Amino acid sequence: MIKDKYTIKDIAQMAGVSKGTVDRVLHKRGKVSKSAFEKVDKILKEIDYRPNPIARNLKKNKTYSIHVLLPDPHKDPYWIPANEGVLEAANQFTPFGILIRKYFYDPTDKSSFLIQSEEAILSQPDVLLMAPIFESESQVILGKCCRTKIPVVLFNNHMNTFKEQIFIGQDLKQSGRVAASLMGKIIGENDEIAIIHINKEPHMQSKENGFVEFFKEKPDRNHIMVSKTFNSADKIGFNQEVSQFIKSHPRINAFFVTNSKAYMLVEAFESLEKKDGIIIGYDLLKPNIKYLEQGAIKFLIHQKLKRQAFLSVNYLAEHFLFGKPLPSQELLPIDIITTENAHYYL
Amino acid sequence: MIKDKYTIKDIAQMAGVSKGTVDRVLHKRGKVSKSAFEKVDKILKEIDYRPNPIARNLKKNKTYSIHVLLPDPHKDPYWIPANEGVLEAANQFTPFGILIRKYFYDPTDKSSFLIQSEEAILSQPDVLLMAPIFESESQVILGKCCRTKIPVVLFNNHMNTFKEQIFIGQDLKQSGRVAASLMGKIIGENDEIAIIHINKEPHMQSKENGFVEFFKEKPDRNHIMVSKTFNSADKIGFNQEVSQFIKSHPRINAFFVTNSKAYMLVEAFESLEKKDGIIIGYDLLKPNIKYLEQGAIKFLIHQKLKRQAFLSVNYLAEHFLFGKPLPSQELLPIDIITTENAHYYL
DNA sequence: TTATTTAATGTGCTCGTACACATTTATGCA
DNA sequence: TGCATAAATGTGTACGAGCACATTAAATAA
């Protein structure tokens, strides 16, 4: 009897036992006599039995809840793609009994983060998916989840202290290196470089580290590099800061912006009537793409927030539904964007 | 009665009819009285009923066969990723009753292609997935599939004549433009460029067209461009051809290789002790990556053959199993590869 | 009115797995 | 040997959709 799909019934028949016994052998539960075990085990070794995931899931008939905690996309457009990714995956998996609930918090307000996260874990979801942008506060939440046995999946950025969590995102340091390798290809041998942090968040330092490291490894490259942080809340203040900076560093003409706000630097340059300047930045925000097309930004690195969010939900859903193993960490490719390939990533 | 998952039984109960009647309304089959129809229809409009795809599939309990026709990866390593992609997807979907059978042909032998394709469609698979590298021969096969009502999905390259087929791959012309935009960023204003076709296949012309088009659109760029095809079967002949070419075009120092064989050009340069030369090519073959790391190749464009193959099978499987709609065409992003981000794509 | 056709609706089984429950067989002890 | 208990095995049902078949209600003909 050679088939390409065996069922428990088939195995039972072949081993000369009932399907109940086969079930007991497969799941190592209940009492099975030595002889019966051997009969079934022999058959199992001969054939490649893989249970039908569809039937299994139908029987289980459980709805799984995924609670997603992320910054309100209305407050910061950076998070719009994350929301879209979650939505898309949710749409795909709700018919299968995957229940996704979103909790938005204000990315400028730590207390709102705490309130929303409390809410999110209150009803004991099967898993919490979150972007941990506030370090110490996220720590608190992770501790709570640990105690209440709610598994956590992180995306966008890492939490180094909790190694056991699952992470879906990019290697930030490596993305700094990618930026550096691009910069290295398009600037002159003696050009000076500025690393610009706009409204700096802790994880942005990794990008600078990678960027600097890349050039340190190249003995033939000795660019002067300056790291600068701009923290003005408003545009006028920001432009003033930029103006002062370029006055005090007249020879710098290459700029690496470590987050999605490269467009702000371009706009500051425009208002200062600064025409040259090679800029590399992050993310496919509308103004960034506009300046990429105009040539003011040379390259963008795509952090693929949408894909991060989508993949996270996707992995979890397929894990719950069909028992697929979860990766402990998935580092997404670091995509390089130029005018000509930008539209494929939108 | 507000739930988040409704079953046919639920609807039947709510409408005060039997599940048979609900089934008839849902599928518009059999006879249903006006009053019964309205009762059920009212409920259906109130709730968002989506049939459980798992239960539906379990009932159908059909095995679907996907026959894959692709060049033997032992004969040309370019096709290894395609094979891997198919394998990976097959592995994922066999437990669901998706049966994948592969047919390898010799990419240098048209008759072997015809023999294998005959074989592939002989047993009436549910779909044929193929990379149509021989144009007129593929035409014949597509015609046969059309007559025997076997749907066809193409990947790697297009067949312009059969618009109704599904295509998963890249826009080749646009990838030429991407190469051009990269080239434009790293070469000098007056540098001369060669477009190199190694063992030219028809579809490689699209890449050249895109490349040339990009520079034509830039009025401030007036690079002299030469298109050259090398067709030697062996390495010695090839190196001679290259030697002659660079002697007769001493001022050309930028090279766009339109397929995965950029490493051959690098090796020819090495044997000729030519040290300069900016090369942009395609695909993450091992020798290509080696020369990318050594700096001899500046950029590679990733055609993502593995992903093409994987996605094709994936789309088909999810279509068969869960009724997801098939895209008529999916153009994958054109990934730019440099030393620092190469390993993520392997 | 009653028999007969047709329309309308309900019932019950299938798919493969998981698990509760029922039944049979073996073992221990008086 | 009888009887209680435990061990081993078999049986039956649910999950949700889909479809064949059975049943009932309505319409028509005799």
Side-chain angles (χ1 to χ4, degrees), chain B residues 61-318:
Chain B
N61 195 36
K62 187 174 162 3
T63 57
Y64 298 88
S65 57
I66 302 176
H67 286 191
V68 186
L69 186 59
L70 82 169
D72 192 336
H74 299 293
K75 299 252 164 70
D76 183 350
Y78 172 78
W79 295 98
I80 293 175
N83 189 34
E84 286 174 352
V86 171
L87 224 66
E88 214 165 90
N91 206 44
Q92 190 174 127
F93 286 106
T94 35
F96 291 87
I98 300 287
L99 224 77
I100 287 152
R101 177 172 273 147
K102 288 183 288 185
Y103 296 84
F104 290 144
Y105 62 88
D106 184 341
T108 61
D109 178 8
K110 292 181 179 185
S111 72
S112 123
F113 170 77
L114 283 171
I115 292 168
Q116 289 301 309
S117 54
E118 292 285 354
E119 194 76 28
I121 58 179
L122 198 72
S123 52
Q124 281 281 330
D126 291 293
V127 66
L128 177 68
L129 174 61
M130 68 183 275
I133 63 169
F134 301 124
E135 259 185 81
S136 57
E137 286 76 9
S138 300
Q139 211 67 259
V140 176
I141 299 304
L142 286 181
K144 275 196 185 161
C145 287
C146 207
R147 262 172 281 130
T148 50
K149 303 252 184 287
I150 300 174
V152 180
V153 174
L154 305 178
F155 69 105
N156 189 63
N157 58 302
H158 238 120
M159 292 283 292
N160 293 320
T161 37
F162 271 75
K163 286 284 178 199
E164 70 278 15
Q165 307 305 333
I166 292 170
F167 173 65
I168 314 276
Q170 271 182 350
D171 182 336
L172 302 180
K173 187 179 169 196
Q174 190 65 29
S175 84
R177 289 185 62 99
V178 172
S181 77
L182 294 171
M183 193 66 99
K185 286 194 171 66
I186 57 177
I187 63 175
E189 270 191 34
N190 300 308
D191 286 4
E192 297 183 9
I193 306 169
I195 297 157
I196 306 290
H197 304 290
I198 301 175
N199 306 126
K200 190 169 183 178
E201 288 173 37
H203 62 266
M204 285 150 64
Q205 186 58 39
S206 309
K207 297 176 182 174
E208 171 173 338
N209 296 348
F211 190 90
V212 172
E213 183 188 84
F214 177 87
F215 282 110
K216 274 216 183 114
E217 287 171 7
K218 308 279 175 281
D220 54 328
R221 291 301 198 106
N222 281 302
H223 302 279
I224 290 169
M225 280 191 251
V226 180
S227 171
K228 175 70 184 170
T229 300
F230 298 128
N231 271 325
S232 297
D234 61 343
K235 197 167 170 175
I236 300 156
F238 175 76
N239 285 7
Q240 279 176 347
E241 279 192 279
V242 173
S243 170
Q244 273 194 329
F245 179 75
I246 61 173
K247 263 177 208 152
S248 55
H249 298 82
R251 293 173 56 196
I252 287 182
N253 71 329
F255 301 86
F256 170 45
V257 182
T258 57
N259 65 0
S260 62
K261 292 170 181 166
Y263 66 92
M264 285 176 64
L265 190 67
V266 178
E267 282 162 9
F269 283 179
E270 277 179 352
S271 75
L272 297 168
E273 295 193 7
K274 177 174 165 63
K275 292 280 175 183
D276 57 338
I278 287 160
I279 299 175
I280 291 179
Y282 280 88
D283 291 321
L284 305 185
L285 301 193
K286 270 195 185 138
N288 278 346
I289 290 174
K290 190 177 89 186
Y291 295 126
L292 185 71
E293 277 166 3
Q294 292 176 8
I297 294 174
K298 300 298 174 204
F299 287 108
L300 286 169
I301 287 170
H302 188 15
Q303 303 201 73
K304 303 203 275 196
L305 203 52
K306 181 171 177 180
R307 183 146 184 84
Q308 286 182 32
F310 177 83
L311 263 186
S312 301
V313 175
N314 211 79
Y315 279 139
L316 286 168
E318 295 194 332

Side-chain angles (χ1 to χ4, degrees), chain A residues 126-140:
Chain A
D126 291 292
V127 66
L128 178 68
L129 174 61
M130 66 184 275
I133 63 168
F134 300 124
E135 259 186 81
S136 57
E137 286 75 10
S138 299
Q139 210 68 258
V140 175

Side-chain angles (χ1 to χ4, degrees), chain A residues 95-144:
Chain A
F96 290 87
I98 301 287
L99 224 77
I100 289 153
R101 178 172 272 147
K102 289 184 286 184
Y103 296 84
F104 291 143
Y105 62 88
D106 184 340
T108 61
D109 178 8
K110 292 183 179 184
S111 71
S112 124
F113 170 76
L114 283 171
I115 292 168
Q116 288 301 309
S117 54
E118 291 287 355
E119 194 74 30
I121 60 180
L122 197 73
S123 52
Q124 282 280 331
D126 291 292
V127 66
L128 178 68
L129 174 61
M130 66 184 275
I133 63 168
F134 300 124
E135 259 186 81
S136 57
E137 286 75 10
S138 299
Q139 210 68 258
V140 175
I141 298 305
L142 286 181
K144 275 196 185 159

